[in-house]
Amino acid sequence: MKRLLPLALLLIGAAPSDHPRSYLLSVGNIPLSDTESIEAFSVKTWGVEFEAVCRIPPGWRIRAGSSATPDGEIAGIGSQGVTWFNTASPKALQSFILVTLHGAVQKEDIGVPGNGVPATFKGTVTISTDDGDVDRPLTHRNIRLTPARRCPVR
């Protein structure tokens, strides 16, 4: 029996999570130079259930949701330059959406597109620069999940 204990512990540790966990989602850690601003973002999701948009930044439109399949989207766009964010991790995009995940975050795509499992979070951010707008990639590194059961109280 004692010889089987390490094997049993290994199997328990490798078991996938089947218990849903709720989180407050933040978007940030976006590299910006002094003259750049975040004007929009769009993140495709996989396996994310959207529970609530907890708050909408002033001057922004936020869209969050999914279809009957595991794919979904979080997107936001500022209405004009004065509403754009000029910091890498804007406070207005911290803990602003309540989501539920049923498993671990899938960091990279697995398999071939259309016949595999996409990353949990993958998208783009539109940055206003001195030379015009540029799109830069967003990944799991730009998404922070903080365990929570409900939206923060204002």
Side-chain angles (χ1 to χ4, degrees):
M1 185 68 161
K2 287 183 180 179
R3 291 189 315 211
L4 296 177
L5 183 60
L7 179 60
L9 291 174
L10 180 64
L11 291 174
I12 291 170
S17 172
D18 62 351
H19 300 295
R21 291 192 169 83
S22 296
Y23 301 92
L24 286 169
L25 182 143
S26 302
V27 176
N29 196 26
I30 300 166
L32 295 175
S33 72
D34 291 341
T35 61
E36 296 178 337
S37 299
I38 300 168
E39 62 179 83
F41 65 89
S42 177
V43 179
K44 300 290 184 195
T45 65
W46 184 261
V48 176
E49 288 180 25
F50 295 92
E51 305 298 336
V53 174
C54 299
R55 76 175 171 281
I56 299 172
W60 276 69
R61 293 175 191 243
I62 300 293
R63 184 176 67 234
S66 59
S67 63
T69 62
D71 63 318
E73 179 184 25
I74 308 162
I77 186 166
S79 60
Q80 50 185 295
V82 296
T83 66
W84 298 344
F85 303 118
N86 58 6
T87 60
S89 295
K91 187 169 180 122
L93 296 181
Q94 293 178 12
S95 300
F96 76 116
I97 296 177
L98 184 65
V99 298
T100 298
L101 299 179
H102 292 271
V105 171
Q106 177 68 37
K107 295 179 180 179
E108 305 290 333
D109 292 343
I110 296 177
V112 295
N115 194 22
V117 178
T120 304
F121 302 104
K122 180 173 56 175
T124 59
V125 59
T126 302
I127 305 293
S128 173
T129 73
D130 291 336
D131 296 324
D133 294 346
V134 295
D135 286 337
R136 296 184 185 148
L138 289 177
T139 68
H140 68 281
R141 291 182 182 96
N142 304 103
I143 304 296
R144 189 182 76 220
L145 299 170
T146 305
R149 294 182 183 210
R150 61 182 174 270
C151 288
V153 178
R154 292 187 196 191

